[in-house]
Amino acid sequence: MPRMIYDHTKNVLEKVSFDVKLFIKELRKALKVLLPYELEHLKKWLLFFTSEKPELKQCISIVEI
């Protein structure tokens, strides 16, 4: 059974993307609960998602820590 936390994380990040500080806060929460392979998927998704939202580009570096 797939873990639903990854999908939930993406949904939350999409909803809070209007505020960079809130986006970073939720992204840091996700780093604590996602499995390593889910983090890899999240990085790819972030690259795609932030391509349309340049103000969030800085957040990609958080995932690589």
Side-chain angles (χ1 to χ4, degrees), residues 2-55:
R3 287 179 27 119
M4 302 303 281
I5 193 72
Y6 172 73
D7 292 328
H8 174 71
T9 298
K10 286 192 337 184
N11 288 335
V12 169
L13 289 172
E14 287 175 354
K15 289 179 181 177
V16 300
S17 64
F18 65 91
D19 182 354
V20 175
K21 289 182 181 181
L22 194 53
F23 190 86
I24 291 171
K25 180 180 176 183
E26 292 299 328
L27 189 55
R28 287 194 172 128
K29 283 185 194 177
L31 294 177
K32 295 176 183 177
V33 295
L34 293 178
L35 296 173
Y37 76 92
E38 292 171 322
L39 286 174
E40 288 301 318
H41 289 290
L42 186 65
K43 285 181 198 177
K44 291 176 185 174
W45 177 81
L46 277 172
L47 287 172
F48 170 76
F49 185 71
T50 59
S51 66
E52 297 176 4
K53 299 179 181 293
E55 67 276 8

